[in-house]
Amino acid sequence: MSAKYVYSFGGKTADGDGKMKELLGGKGANLAEMCKIGIPVPPGFTITTEVCAAYYEQGKKIPDATVPQIDEALKKVEAEFGKKFGDPADPLLVSVRSGAALSMPGMMNTILNLGLTDASVEGLAKKTGNDRFAYDSYRRLIDMFGSTAMGLEHEHFEHELHSMKEAKGVKLDTDLSADDLKELVKRYKAVYKKDVGEDFPQDPKKQLMLAINAVFNSWNGHKAIEYRRIERITGLKGTAVNVQAMVFGNMGGGSGTGVAFTRDPNTGEDVFYGDYLINAQGEDVVAGIRTPEPISKLGEDMPKVYEQLVGIRAALEKHYKEMQDIEFTVQEGVLFMLQTRTGKRTGTAAVRIAVEMVKEGLIDETTAVKRVAPDSLNHLLQPQLDPKAKNKPVAQGIAASPGAASGMVLLSAEAVVAHAEKHPNDPILLVRKETSPEDVAGMHLAKGILTSTGGKASHAAVVARGWGKPCVVGCEAVKIDEAAQTVTIAGTVVKAGEFVTINGTTGDVMIGKVPTVPPSMTGDFATLMTWADKVRKLKIRTNADSPADAAKAREFGAEGIGLCRTEHMFFGKDRIAAVREMILAPDVEGRTKALAKIEPFQKADFVGLFEVMDGLPVTIRLLDPPLHEFLPQKDNVAGAEEVAKQTGTTVEKIFERVEELHEMNPMMGFRGCRLPLVFPEIGDMQVRAIIEAAIEVKKKGKSVLPEIMIPLVGVVEELAILKKRAIAVAEECMKQAGVKVEYQIGTMIELPRACIAADKIAEEAEFFSFGTNDLTQMTFGFSRDDIKGFMPTYLRDKILPIDPFQTIDFNGVGELMKIGIQKGRGSRTAKHSQHLKVGICGEHGGDPDSVVFCHAIGMDYVSCSPFRVPIARLAAAQAALGEAGKRDK
Ligand code: ADP
Ligand code: MG
Ligand code: MG
């Protein structure tokens, strides 16, 4: 094999660069890039992701051709660094680090100080004159190598460390003396030997090869698989391995290590944001063992280093034109950068950073629009804590990820998973001392996370931020008692299952449930939206049944109502009795009488909607669900008694009717257009209410654009009959009022037959609106309420790439949609020389990937719930820019 498997970096040169993430992983590519732009990086090399793929193809064996390339690259590092790997007198030590194309924080383990042995630890101590440092490094290696490469329990090492600290009466690792650490190394080696059955390897090359294997193995470790599942990461070759010369932050008071973001990842504010620890190494800052210092304090401790770091912060932002998440180490006053990557941020921060970077001239408006993941806007669309709420904060921690969350307290990630399985809708607040990668499944299901230790860069903070989940960390007033299943917060005892509220924007913790108020769209958010609107082609409408929802949606930029479900109005307290009377009526006369009672309510509802929408199109769907949904269930005697009283009939009569209306499969039963075909008076009443409402609003001088939508049409005749009847009713209303209003009659396309026969249907329909919930259900033959039993298996085994009720199934349902649009538009143009307006009103209308698909197949608009309107606007803009899907995850 002659391929290049190993890429060197160091000095001001590198074989690779920042664009080679696929091959070198994000970490490796950016280490190379930083070298190239003159940022100080310890030399090293990257073994490519292709080697990882080959490793698995060959039954967990590294391809032979890689080994000489590793030797070669190691020689280069030795030359650059002036030390030899395995030299007992002055050893070159290395770190072995994982790194895939997409960052998977904390998912794979890093081994530091590799190359140390019983012999070279002595050499290192002599050479540096620092015994403490040498043995601290060695005990860390045995721990990291043991737990990462050999799968030992880190806890077994931790246990030794604890008993040593206890015996010496010290609190911090850094308080242990050189002799203590020497003793600790002995004990660590004993743990290693006991658990592995062999001595800790004394051959540095063997250590290296085992460590490289370990990184490759971690690619398919439980944590990594879980993370990829949650983040929907697929199609990667594997992880790269980075082997890099060690620099030491644990050499004493003039050394340290830190992590930082070039801007605040919570709010997006242009401030340097991070933590560091003096005399520490690697993950110490993140682990929450010692409380780290804020980055600004480095300015006092090491002014020169700080100044240089601030310069690098600016240089990186200027180079990458993006907010960066960086890792650095200072060895006796000399600064080294160990990592840079695009920083994860909350939706709020994403918007602010994008808008401010445009103002700073770093990026242009279209780049800003492409930068923000549509779903991340959710973060700005969360309800905010009601400022007038009575609950006062009882404690304060570090505001780690903004937003408010009220939830039932649970004390372990497993408990969250178990609870959510049974009660998926319960809001849960995960409360822990700290979190670790094992906890991600539970963290994902929780509404918010509260920890008693840890800083801004702790695991909980980083992960929560990535998901836009409210999080407060380091709240020392929180005392957890797992055995008793209680938490005590500033003196108040809260039992597991009781409510606590956190405000991740301020760090406040409150006892109980705190009321919330809806969010609003202002400032940078509004600015970004106007930029999105400049480029998008799709119109965005909303699904709204009430004037209040419609008003909120307009505030968020909705350009019409794509779906008003009239049945929701039927359930109103003041009208359900009349609805039931209508259903129970034995004949047309009875039904007509009851319908007359409902009509004024319907009309008033429509007047409200038309007024709010003020001339924007309003699509109103005629009654869709089967009638028995409005009656009590078969065994609900109490409910039936109440209805009997309301409607002046008997319980027996009600149950008789319930029995008559009973259906084996209501989704495919007597519903949709089938209702007004059998009971025309129902349709007549609804059409009259719509047109009379439109007339009334028009008389007030406003314009109105009603679109009457007939659901569940499969054959054109259904539509033809109902349309004819609707026109007759509408004409009659207008004649009586002496006012003309414009209106359209169209249909929902939600049956496979309707897609196939769309050319025929379009001869009658003036618009199509794809009801993709039903269309998905009918196409797959999956009842959308009954997928629990098999969908998890389908997704796990990749039978389906994604739940088709969340994102349109492009290849099946999507193909039907394409056929429907093509045939429908073709015949409408041919027959009526008219453009057939096409939209979507299923849940998919608010799903960014589905919006992109709707753009691609030439729809005119998508319609989604009010709070997803901004998300759809942004997704539509990105679709128009052709950038969707290419975004950095
Ligand atoms: P992760 O992918 O979890 O961020 P890293 O590979 O970045 O893991 O390693 C974790 C930490 O280990 C780094 O932040 C850094 O502090 C430390 N580290 C890694 N390589 C070196 C090195 N060559 N010299 C000193 N510290 C290192
Ligand atoms: Mg790691
Ligand atoms: Mg890192």
Side-chain angles (χ1 to χ4, degrees):
M1 279 197 284
S2 61
K4 187 167 171 62
Y5 291 123
V6 178
Y7 285 69
S8 292
F9 57 84
K12 287 191 166 121
T13 61
D15 297 347
D17 64 40
K19 289 186 209 74
M20 299 169 74
K21 289 202 182 97
E22 290 264 321
L23 188 65
L24 302 181
K27 199 180 287 167
N30 281 327
L31 284 168
E33 185 81 9
M34 282 198 288
C35 285
K36 286 195 155 159
I37 59 173
I39 283 170
V41 172
F45 55 87
T46 304
I47 306 168
T48 68
T49 56
E50 280 172 359
V51 177
C52 184
Y55 175 83
Y56 281 104
E57 273 158 30
Q58 303 181 2
K60 296 204 175 189
K61 200 182 149 299
I62 293 171
D64 292 336
T66 320
V67 182
Q69 295 190 24
I70 291 173
D71 291 338
E72 195 64 28
L74 196 56
K75 281 209 194 88
K76 277 194 207 161
V77 178
E78 290 175 337
E80 162 101 27
F81 223 53
K83 290 179 196 292
K84 285 217 168 333
F85 190 61
D87 179 353
D90 183 16
L92 166 71
L93 304 186
V94 295
S95 64
V96 177
R97 321 170 64 188
S98 61
L102 295 171
S103 101
M104 299 165 62
M107 289 298 122
M108 294 195 271
N109 298 313
T110 301
I111 301 174
L112 303 178
N113 312 326
L114 192 127
L116 270 182
T117 59
D118 291 352
S120 61
V121 71
E122 283 296 327
L124 184 66
K126 270 210 202 85
K127 181 84 193 174
T128 57
N130 191 339
D131 283 19
R132 200 198 165 278
F133 149 70
Y135 283 92
D136 181 49
S137 303
Y138 197 23
R139 65 103 191 164
R140 287 170 188 266
L141 169 63
I142 300 166
D143 179 351
M144 285 185 269
F145 185 87
S147 45
T148 302
M150 308 312 280
L152 308 188
E153 291 290 335
H154 167 66
E155 290 306 318
H156 295 177
F157 297 108
E158 255 329 78
H159 178 76
E160 294 299 333
L161 179 62
H162 271 287
S163 52
M164 175 65 93
K165 284 201 282 193
E166 216 147 83
K168 297 288 160 183
V170 300
K171 251 184 87 184
L172 300 176
D173 304 4
T174 41
D175 295 335
L176 291 173
S177 71
D179 285 337
D180 299 339
L181 289 165
K182 245 182 231 182
E183 171 59 26
L184 203 54
V185 163
K186 268 198 204 134
R187 295 195 194 166
Y188 273 25
K189 278 166 60 184
V191 168
Y192 185 97
K193 179 154 192 186
K194 179 160 171 278
D195 290 2
V196 181
E198 264 176 46
D199 282 320
F200 178 74
Q202 293 298 316
D203 172 6
K205 190 67 195 290
K206 183 174 171 196
Q207 288 178 8
L208 180 59
M209 295 318 286
L210 284 171
I212 291 170
N213 274 292
V215 173
F216 287 147
N217 287 336
S218 72
W219 174 250
N220 278 333
H222 175 71
K223 288 184 276 184
I225 289 175
E226 188 79 343
Y227 188 85
R228 289 199 292 272
R229 181 183 68 76
I230 291 172
E231 294 285 311
R232 296 185 184 173
I233 297 173
T234 54
L236 296 188
K237 289 193 195 104
T239 178
V241 184
N242 299 289
V243 178
Q244 188 177 28
M246 279 303 299
V247 290
F248 300 100
N250 56 338
M251 283 185 91
S255 305
T257 185
V259 296
F261 290 87
T262 55
R263 301 190 187 210
D264 185 333
N266 289 320
T267 62
E269 192 186 347
D270 187 7
V271 290
F272 202 12
Y273 179 100
D275 292 323
Y276 75 101
L277 272 176
I278 294 285
N279 197 14
Q281 190 175 50
E283 317 263 31
D284 291 0
V285 189
V286 189
I289 307 162
R290 277 156 64 196
T291 306
E293 301 285 354
I295 198 88
S296 55
K297 183 143 183 301
L298 189 65
E300 295 163 29
D301 291 347
M302 304 180 187
K304 270 225 143 78
V305 168
Y306 184 68
E307 196 182 315
Q308 190 190 357
L309 190 60
V310 168
I312 288 174
R313 168 192 177 220
L316 286 173
E317 277 214 346
K318 195 157 169 233
H319 180 73
Y320 286 98
K321 303 185 190 310
E322 241 305 16
M323 189 265 261
Q324 298 293 300
D325 168 356
I326 60 178
E327 298 175 5
F328 63 91
T329 283
V330 183
Q331 175 177 331
E332 300 193 304
V334 185
L335 174 66
F336 295 91
M337 299 307 293
L338 292 170
Q339 191 169 338
T340 191
R341 63 183 164 208
T342 302
K344 292 212 176 185
R345 65 204 77 181
T346 63
T348 309
V351 169
R352 176 162 179 183
I353 290 169
V355 172
E356 289 191 350
M357 283 191 166
V358 172
K359 292 182 184 153
E360 290 159 26
L362 272 180
I363 57 174
D364 59 18
E365 287 179 11
T366 19
T367 309
V369 167
K370 289 182 205 167
R371 278 274 169 89
V372 180
D375 261 330
S376 77
L377 295 182
N378 251 329
H379 195 249
L380 294 104
L381 296 165
Q382 293 305 314
Q384 312 288 312
L385 288 179
D386 186 348
K388 291 195 233 63
K390 286 194 298 291
N391 318 49
K392 291 287 164 259
V394 294
Q396 200 178 32
I398 298 167
S401 175
S406 279
M408 306 164 46
V409 168
L410 289 179
L411 302 179
S412 74
E414 298 80 64
V416 176
V417 173
H419 187 95
E421 231 158 60
K422 287 202 219 103
H423 312 281
N425 296 324
D426 280 358
I428 299 170
L429 187 75
L430 176 63
V431 182
R432 285 192 69 70
K433 186 158 167 287
E434 67 206 352
T435 63
S436 76
E438 273 79 21
D439 297 332
V440 288
M443 294 168 77
H444 193 243
L445 291 167
K447 264 245 158 10
I449 297 157
L450 170 63
T451 70
S452 57
T453 64
K456 293 189 272 279
S458 64
H459 181 262
V462 171
V463 172
R465 211 141 54 215
W467 290 332
K469 226 177 253 297
C471 177
V472 172
V473 298
C475 186
E476 286 165 16
V478 171
K479 304 270 184 282
I480 299 165
D481 185 342
E482 282 216 44
Q485 286 290 295
T486 58
V487 268
T488 308
I489 305 176
T492 309
V493 180
V494 179
K495 291 202 211 80
E498 292 178 346
F499 272 78
V500 163
T501 299
I502 57 168
N503 183 347
T505 318
T506 58
D508 288 340
V509 178
M510 286 133 294
I511 308 286
K513 223 187 264 187
V514 180
T516 53
V517 291
S520 60
M521 202 169 78
T522 51
D524 293 335
F525 188 11
T527 306
L528 186 75
M529 284 295 125
T530 60
W531 296 343
D533 290 349
K534 281 190 208 165
V535 291
R536 74 182 154 88
K537 303 277 189 304
L538 278 173
K539 293 249 178 225
I540 312 296
R541 294 197 192 182
T542 191
N543 299 352
D545 312 327
S546 71
D549 281 357
K552 195 77 216 166
R554 278 204 67 182
E555 197 187 315
F556 286 148
E559 297 163 299
I561 289 180
L563 176 63
C564 163
R565 300 174 169 94
T566 47
E567 59 269 20
H568 288 183
M569 304 167 165
F570 276 33
F571 277 107
K573 262 210 303 290
D574 41 4
R575 45 198 99 165
I576 185 71
V579 173
R580 286 170 172 159
E581 189 186 319
M582 182 267 288
I583 297 169
L584 294 167
D587 50 25
V588 195
E589 283 71 46
R591 274 194 298 277
T592 310
K593 214 175 105 216
L595 284 165
K597 294 185 194 166
I598 306 168
E599 193 170 325
F601 290 116
Q602 283 257 285
K603 185 177 155 191
D605 290 330
F606 298 141
V607 167
L609 276 184
F610 292 149
E611 284 187 334
V612 169
M613 294 316 284
D614 196 10
L616 295 173
V618 176
T619 307
I620 297 169
R621 178 178 71 185
L622 301 189
L623 189 65
D624 185 42
L627 295 179
H628 59 73
E629 280 194 12
F630 299 96
L631 292 181
Q633 300 267 302
K634 255 202 285 203
D635 36 14
N636 181 1
V637 179
E641 274 167 359
E642 202 195 314
V643 174
K645 234 195 296 164
Q646 274 176 358
T647 54
T649 175
T650 64
V651 172
E652 291 71 44
K653 281 243 169 67
I654 290 170
F655 280 142
E656 227 169 77
R657 187 74 178 130
V658 169
E659 189 63 36
E660 265 170 33
L661 290 172
H662 175 74
E663 294 179 329
M664 297 308 287
N665 195 345
M667 283 293 190
M668 299 164 83
F670 188 6
R671 55 170 287 216
C673 66
R674 298 155 204 172
L675 290 166
L677 283 167
V678 177
F679 304 124
E681 54 281 5
I682 299 180
D684 292 353
M685 180 280 284
Q686 291 202 292
V687 171
R688 211 160 36 236
I690 294 168
I691 298 298
E692 284 183 355
I695 290 170
E696 189 175 316
V697 173
K698 189 167 182 185
K699 275 190 187 156
K700 291 185 196 160
K702 291 197 174 184
S703 50
V704 260
L705 257 180
E707 297 174 344
I708 299 169
M709 181 154 80
I710 296 172
L712 218 69
V713 165
V715 284
V716 66
E717 285 75 12
E718 292 169 326
L719 180 60
I721 293 170
L722 292 172
K723 185 180 161 193
K724 199 166 154 212
R725 189 141 181 144
I727 290 173
V729 171
E731 292 302 324
E732 177 61 30
C733 294
M734 292 190 285
K735 208 169 95 195
Q736 273 186 8
V739 178
K740 268 202 117 33
V741 288
E742 296 295 321
Y743 66 96
Q744 290 193 337
I745 299 177
T747 180
M748 266 176 103
I749 302 288
E750 44 194 338
L751 297 172
R753 192 186 192 287
C755 295
I756 305 293
D759 46 349
K760 284 272 168 261
I761 293 173
E763 289 178 6
E764 294 292 337
E766 290 174 282
F767 62 87
F768 279 0
S769 176
F770 281 90
T772 47
N773 299 339
D774 267 308
L775 186 58
T776 300
Q777 161 164 276
M778 300 296 186
T779 301
F780 275 99
F782 293 162
S783 157
R784 74 172 125 136
D785 298 314
D786 302 306
I787 58 173
K788 274 204 309 291
F790 59 90
M791 192 53 75
T793 305
Y794 268 54
L795 298 177
R796 186 199 62 204
D797 294 348
K798 306 208 162 59
I799 297 168
L800 287 175
I802 204 159
D803 178 349
F805 291 101
Q806 266 171 36
T807 297
I808 291 172
D809 156 49
F810 302 153
N811 297 328
V813 177
E815 280 301 310
L816 281 171
M817 292 167 75
K818 280 194 215 162
I819 293 170
I821 294 177
Q822 195 208 349
K823 285 191 144 183
R825 287 237 172 99
S827 92
R828 191 82 203 161
T829 308
K831 266 252 154 140
H832 302 275
S833 312
Q834 192 192 49
H835 172 77
L836 179 75
K837 192 164 43 181
V838 178
I840 179 176
C841 62
E843 287 304 305
H844 300 96
D847 168 63
D849 292 339
S850 304
V851 171
V852 173
F853 181 76
C854 293
H855 169 90
I857 61 175
M859 283 197 180
D860 296 292
Y861 71 87
V862 300
S863 186
C864 57
S865 65
F867 287 94
R868 294 203 75 85
V869 167
I871 295 170
R873 283 163 78 187
L874 187 55
Q878 292 181 352
L881 292 170
E883 267 302 305
K886 282 192 245 154
R887 210 178 307 114
D888 255 5
K889 283 237 179 180

